[in-house]
Amino acid sequence: MSPLQTMGLIGSLLAAGLAVYYLGVAREEAEQLRESLHIGTTQTRAAESALSELEKSRREAAEKEREYARAAKAAADLPLEQRFGEYDRLFDAIEAGRGEPAP
């Protein structure tokens, strides 16, 4: 084998070795990207869940405000001497989660 052929063979082997090395690096980077995507997806789902809970809490708070307004209107329609006792009775019922009590 001539020196030129030997150098060509060595160059080919080095090129093959580098190709294998970079293929391994590319696979590792692809795995890291997949893991990052998985983490991102998990974080997105957690954020969506938190937003859903926030929206649920907002709706519950709005309903509670409407209940207070209905109770206040009902009590405001009563004669003055009954008004404050009715406020207390209605608000206590709302706070206990029972809604408006039966009259």
Side-chain angles (χ1 to χ4, degrees), residues 10-56:
I10 292 172
S12 296
L13 290 174
L14 286 174
L18 285 173
V20 169
Y21 170 78
Y22 284 115
L23 180 61
V25 169
R27 285 183 180 164
E28 186 176 315
E29 287 178 359
E31 183 59 35
Q32 289 174 353
L33 286 173
R34 277 193 287 277
E35 182 65 25
S36 294
L37 178 61
H38 176 70
I39 290 169
T41 301
T42 301
Q43 289 174 341
T44 299
R45 287 182 184 145
E48 288 171 348
S49 177
L51 285 173
S52 176
E53 288 298 316
L54 178 64
E55 180 61 24
K56 180 181 173 186

Side-chain angles (χ1 to χ4, degrees), residues 3 9 13 27 30 37 59 62 81 85 89 91-92 94 96 102-103:
L9 180 61
L13 290 174
R27 285 183 180 164
L37 178 61
R59 283 192 306 269
E81 61 274 3
R89 188 172 75 84
F91 290 155
D92 288 346
I94 290 169

